[in-house]
Amino acid sequence: MKKNIYTICKAIVLICLIILVASNFKVDKDSKASMETVQNKTIEKVNLDGFTQLDNLNIKRFLGLDPSQYDGSVYYKSDDAMSAREFIIVKFKDHSQQDAFKETIEKRISSQKGIFEGYAPDQAELLKNAVIDIHGNYALYAVKEDAATMNDQFLKALSEGE
């Protein structure tokens, strides 16, 4: 009887271990959606009044990212210099770029928080609620009141391209 219980416990531990290890190796599926489609669907229901789409030079200047390393990128920034509002959508060439992107964006958020916390608490609060979402070959970084809506639309656009 004790031997059966011991065998059952070993089996349960083994199954749990397999599930734990397998979940760490899960890789998000790449989306086949074009950059243009993902961009259009992500901003479809978003108010872009007061935003300007900026070029690659400004992506490098403001975010510290090199757009030439990606398959595509689109960056919008608020026209108001006193605003932290901005967002970027990036299509990676390969998954190895994900960690560097996330690290760079986290540094951006930290830097911006340091700037805005003293005199613009509403902007600092936006930064605390910033969205960084990386799925397969795409990433979204958004600092906006409706960042969650953008993220939902971003995920929907990616899933339509699978």
Side-chain angles (χ1 to χ4, degrees), residues 34 46 65 67 71 74 97 113 130 137 139 143 155-156 162:
S34 70
V46 175
L65 297 170
D71 273 344
V74 61
Q97 297 175 302
K113 280 182 187 175
N137 56 336
V143 179
L155 294 173
K156 185 176 178 185
E162 289 182 352

Side-chain angles (χ1 to χ4, degrees), residues 3-59:
K3 190 174 183 178
N4 286 342
I5 293 174
Y6 179 71
T7 305
I8 291 171
C9 287
K10 277 181 24 180
I12 290 172
V13 168
L14 183 62
I15 290 170
C16 289
L17 185 62
I18 290 171
I19 290 171
L20 181 67
V21 170
S23 67
N24 285 332
F25 289 106
K26 180 183 172 246
V27 176
D28 285 326
K29 227 173 148 180
D30 284 353
S31 176
K32 292 179 177 71
S34 70
M35 181 67 187
E36 183 180 354
T37 299
V38 173
Q39 174 188 350
N40 290 338
K41 289 189 181 271
T42 301
I43 64 175
E44 190 172 57
K45 298 173 185 169
V46 175
N47 181 0
L48 293 179
D49 292 343
F51 279 84
T52 301
Q53 183 176 347
L54 299 178
D55 61 11
N56 288 348
L57 185 62
N58 282 299
I59 293 173

Side-chain angles (χ1 to χ4, degrees), residues 58-81:
N58 282 299
I59 293 173
K60 200 168 199 167
R61 176 180 162 213
F62 289 111
L63 300 177
L65 297 170
D66 182 1
S68 67
Q69 293 180 355
Y70 305 114
D71 273 344
S73 59
V74 61
Y75 177 54
Y76 286 79
K77 183 160 178 42
S78 173
D79 298 332
D80 181 0

Side-chain angles (χ1 to χ4, degrees), residues 128-150:
K128 287 178 186 170
N129 297 318
V131 169
I132 303 173
D133 198 351
I134 300 172
H135 281 280
N137 56 336
Y138 278 95
L140 169 69
Y141 159 60
V143 179
K144 281 180 99 281
E145 292 83 351
D146 52 0
T149 301
M150 286 185 73

Side-chain angles (χ1 to χ4, degrees), residues 105-115:
I105 294 302
E106 286 173 345
K107 285 180 186 172
R108 169 71 174 175
I109 292 170
S110 178
S111 168
Q112 291 291 90
K113 280 182 187 175
I115 292 168

